[in-house]
Amino acid sequence: MSFDFIHETLPQRVVFARGDAPGAVAAEVAAVGGTRAMLIHSGPSAEQVEAVAAQLPLAVRHDDVAMHVPIEVAERARAAARTGDVDVLVSVGGGSATGLAKAVALRSGVPIVAVPTTYAGSEATNVWGMTDNGVKTTGTDRRVLPTSIVYDATLLQSLPADLSVASGLNALAHCVDSMWGPRADPIDRALAEEGIRGLRAGMIGLVDGAGGLDAIEQTLYGAYLAAVSFASAGSGMHHKICHVLGGMYDLPHAQTHAVVLPHVLAFNAPGAPEAAARISRAFGSQTAVAGLAALRRAVSAPRALKDYGMPGEGIAAAVPPILAAIPTNNPKPVSTDDLTALLRAAWEGDEPR
Ligand code: NAD
């Protein structure tokens, strides 16, 4: 096999600090010379947020956070950052809190210290996203890549079980799409394969309850690898579908990914033998599709888009923008009929074909 690719590794500090987010965040803020911090938070308990705040040179505290970063929410956060004359952003929360910090950094260039409390993975990418009138726009920019990540598993103990499962599967979708994204290279595939291993072990530990903080850390490790590989490989067919559906029908991010993933894997796997072999190896299963199906059964994964507010008559309208967005290097060509059948199955909660 010959190698012919260019891989860019994004520079970041990754700190695992079980039970010590406050101390670790303070150290990372000091490391970037932060003297006026803006704390953006959504998710963990008031006491946990307070503990982080107490050790910061705090200038602004901001909890006006919304999923998919509506432009007006971004503008309010940017105004608060300007008024507070902040020189460092600390996000404590899921992808929505990280995403809002990115919206501020995109304009101001202020560095971010990210403290993730879901498995969304936004903390490890240079991708930003914003929504205006139901249309989500994304882009990449060095300024939005957090300088440091602090992973503290104790902050995820309060994440509801169903959201833990959906969010873990969202991370798994990063791994799967990294196998065939538009810039996917062998380094991405290796990272994604190890990410699947971590996510599978971690998520099974999460749902059987025996894994405790070790299971959360294992899942965070997998989610980090998932995001790193995804940032390099770029959005493949799976992310293009979820991106369009999420913007058009205001669907919950993690659950949408969790439902759509098995359908895209079943569709693409026959056209991507190397990816399918890596995925099945990571799952320890006969086939990639069987491995994902077994994990989904073990964690009682979300099944149907109709359960999350997508109207059935919305399928036809979503097909053209999704078809236009699917990368031309997708392992298999996708027709209108293919995509309509895939979306119908995901909407109904049918078995993937
Ligand atoms: P989210 O951040 O909106 O969190 C979902 C819900 O869980 C919220 O109500 C939140 O308050 C709550 N929550 C979060 N952590 C909690 C905790 N520890 N305990 C209790 N409740 C908690 O959702 P998400 O799925 O983490 O992120 C979705 C957003 O992130 C979307 O807008 C998506 O587009 C974006 N995203 C971006 C990237 C990227 O690279 N730019 C990657 C992944 C996701």
Side-chain angles (χ1 to χ4, degrees), residues 42-44 67-68 94-97 102 117-118 120-122 125 127-128 136 155-156 158-160 163 170 174 253-254:
S42 158
M67 193 171 281
H68 304 311
S96 300
K102 287 178 165 184
T117 66
T118 69
S122 178
T125 81
V127 180
W128 56 265
K136 189 166 174 180
L155 297 181
L156 284 89
S158 55
L159 194 61
L163 194 51
N170 178 195
H174 289 144
H253 178 83

Side-chain angles (χ1 to χ4, degrees), residues 8-11 105-106 125-128 140-146:
E8 192 178 351
T9 300
L10 299 176
L106 183 63
T125 81
N126 56 355
V127 180
W128 56 265
T140 57
D141 195 298
R142 265 301 169 87
R143 285 175 297 181
V144 308
L145 178 75

Side-chain angles (χ1 to χ4, degrees), residues 5 20 42 50 84 92 158 160 180 185 262 287 300 313-314 321 340 352:
F5 64 88
D20 187 29
S42 158
E50 196 47 52
V92 180
S158 55
W180 46 57
D185 64 43
T287 67
S300 306
E313 60 277 15
T340 304

Side-chain angles (χ1 to χ4, degrees), residues 160-183:
D162 59 342
L163 194 51
S164 284
V165 165
S167 191
L169 290 168
N170 178 195
L172 198 69
H174 289 144
C175 294
V176 171
D177 237 12
S178 295
M179 297 288 177
W180 46 57
R183 301 183 302 276

